[in-house]
Amino acid sequence: MNKSIEIQQQKETLRIETFSDGVFCIAVTLLSIEIGVELHGDVTDKELAHALLAKWPLYLAYVISFVNVLLAWIGHHSLFKMFLKPDNGIMVTNGLLLMLIALVPFPTKTLGEFLLTGGFKTAVIFYTAYFVLISIAFRLLWYAATRKAGILMNGVTAEQIKLTTRNENIGLICNAIIFGVAFINPLAALVFSFAMWVYWLGFA
Amino acid sequence: MNKSIEIQQQKETLRIETFSDGVFCIAVTLLSIEIGVELHGDVTDKELAHALLAKWPLYLAYVISFVNVLLAWIGHHSLFKMFLKPDNGIMVTNGLLLMLIALVPFPTKTLGEFLLTGGFKTAVIFYTAYFVLISIAFRLLWYAATRKAGILMNGVTAEQIKLTTRNENIGLICNAIIFGVAFINPLAALVFSFAMWVYWLGFA
Amino acid sequence: MNKSIEIQQQKETLRIETFSDGVFCIAVTLLSIEIGVELHGDVTDKELAHALLAKWPLYLAYVISFVNVLLAWIGHHSLFKMFLKPDNGIMVTNGLLLMLIALVPFPTKTLGEFLLTGGFKTAVIFYTAYFVLISIAFRLLWYAATRKAGILMNGVTAEQIKLTTRNENIGLICNAIIFGVAFINPLAALVFSFAMWVYWLGFA
Amino acid sequence: MNKSIEIQQQKETLRIETFSDGVFCIAVTLLSIEIGVELHGDVTDKELAHALLAKWPLYLAYVISFVNVLLAWIGHHSLFKMFLKPDNGIMVTNGLLLMLIALVPFPTKTLGEFLLTGGFKTAVIFYTAYFVLISIAFRLLWYAATRKAGILMNGVTAEQIKLTTRNENIGLICNAIIFGVAFINPLAALVFSFAMWVYWLGFA
């Protein structure tokens, strides 16, 4: 293939990855927007301290989503490192993924706000369902990259492709199991999520 | 032309495109800020589930605008790829376009919030009118690029210019028609918008 | 001077400029966050249309600030193009400028919300005072760049320095006059601001 | 070591630094979001002026946090300049640091809102405790960089490592002292913070 065309294609891939990085970066930082205490009139030191402590579910939801989006960002990069040329299939599936990532503040907020209410189970089901959707978008992005020749770089080995396919499948299956567990025991589903982090860090 | 001046000009073009990309990226991610459920006091799982489902117009508006801004970003890039040197005309028309893109969360929110109210028609007219403005800004940007020599790169063929002019005109006309349809049948106008996406993806 | 040190210094300058560009870009996009209509319960098409039109002061304030921040971004770039090496003086004055740019949504919101109230004059005085502060920060940044040798690049001529000093002074004086006019006739101050845009575009 | 592998590793380092820069940049700009006056109905010029002046604690908190995040950004860069290859330890500790930086708007808002209330002491304790956490994250990041060979670039001298370790330790100890002082005299803790800025600027 012509060398200058190849460089041009890599530039296009880089541009899309830079834009995607921007969405990950803004989404993760926007998670903080909803966090705050609402107290009106004069307050005492004790009241403020209690109000700050009482918001722990918001902090927990923030931490969970921050780590999840950061791991998704790392996973996104390890896919894009293999792409030579983004075609329409990549554009559409990557767009779908970004649409979901940009909206992560919504399930996060929902989880944080309803963690201590009678709506706890629904909040966890919603949150875990959301990350099943993200796994599906990742799986589709990888499918779009492998369904025909010419999208992955020449240097990518069959071994690497197999390993990535396996990882994406494991991610999807684990998130689906966590989602299923949420219906039976929401707390167990959250704990299972934390266990996944350690697993993924091994691939970072 | 002096080679180092040309490189300097391309760097200026890149800088403006990077800034523009930032505005597209932030605008698209800010779309998520307004989405959430407001329930106070303790709630049951059922109440939360109903509240989440009842917000579907916000989700729909989010998806529509996310796709529209992403398509606008792709279109913006395909124009900037042809620019050698941004003059004042490019700066002003591009500034106008960015001003509109940055405010997309406003018509989006309006569409989502009033989709199920008696203000549905006004919301759709406002939303479609807004995208007519964006099409006009695109058309002006392209006009600024072609109205005199020295702005497009030497490699750009008359064929490419003709095709781009045609695409920008079609975009403007289609959005104007959708806007007109919104006065008669708002739902049909939204459906027509979706049909446009498929068309534009062919040019991505 | 050692060539590789020079390249290293230019990389540092670029890094600070990229960060600054990010602040300009986010500040300008965040201007849109406050814009929206608040109507509760069911509404008619007419009510929504009226509510949308009634918000025109917010739109006007948005447009004014968007253009002002964009012009400030262009001005910021034309300074940084001349910098070889950012010292502490540049860091501090540039930090001051960014602190003011990031907070532009606040005077913008104030102008938009109180334009049609009895607080109109205060809103315009506050807004114009804010842009006097921004002009001062620009003037200090330029002072930090010229107060000693080694900060500007070797290629920068005495002519260029003189012209830039003149421009920064004119900017500061004009904004100070607009601020003064706001005390006598707030509307005239706003109109004077628009006239400035045309002037600045000549230097873009 | 193979030259092309080294370049690849530096690109990975740069990518993580660019993402981190994005988080710093967005966090610092989001600080402005909460600032505004809430007055309803018609107001007089005097009322608006008073309302604007009465918000000074919010402005003060904004300035304090803006400077703190900017200094943290400078410190972050001076660490990353020395990194050759980000391993999992760097990823995790840097992720922890970013998680804290992205949430700075929360303690900032808390400080600004409760500065003039009976909750002043709690607000300052919370704010200073938060910056102790940030210092710990910095210290962990530096520990992750030095705990084994191959992470720092070959050009980094033992002298530089010693100096950086000393700086990170001083930062942590000073923030811990400020935190302790906040329990006895919150105002003195804030003044001490300002004194630190002058000190850090010497290392910028």
Side-chain angles (χ1 to χ4, degrees), chain B residues 1-16 83-86, chain C residues 10 14 17 77-78 80-82 153 160:
Chain B
M1 198 195 306
N2 187 308
K3 191 71 191 173
S4 86
I5 290 180
E6 203 174 306
I7 288 172
Q8 185 57 35
Q9 289 176 338
Q10 285 187 320
K11 261 173 66 181
E12 289 300 300
T13 309
L14 187 67
R15 201 183 114 94
I16 293 164
F83 295 174
L84 171 68
K85 178 190 159 250
Chain C
Q10 285 188 319
L14 187 68
E17 191 176 4
H77 176 54
S78 56
F80 263 77
K81 261 200 297 199
M82 291 188 259
M153 286 194 285
Q160 273 180 289

Side-chain angles (χ1 to χ4, degrees), chain C residues 8-71:
Chain C
Q8 185 56 36
Q9 289 176 338
Q10 285 188 319
K11 263 173 66 180
E12 289 301 299
T13 309
L14 187 68
R15 203 183 113 95
I16 293 164
E17 191 176 4
T18 303
F19 189 87
S20 306
D21 277 13
V23 171
F24 276 95
C25 190
I26 301 162
V28 99
T29 318
L30 282 183
L31 290 172
S32 75
I33 265 189
E34 304 284 335
I35 300 178
V37 296
E38 297 99 30
L39 286 170
H40 299 289
D42 198 16
V43 295
T44 64
D45 280 322
K46 225 171 195 168
E47 282 165 354
L48 180 55
H50 279 293
L52 285 168
L53 290 173
K55 290 282 179 187
W56 69 262
L58 286 182
Y59 313 151
L60 182 67
Y62 173 77
V63 171
I64 296 175
S65 284
F66 201 97
V67 175
N68 280 335
V69 174
L70 229 55
L71 287 174

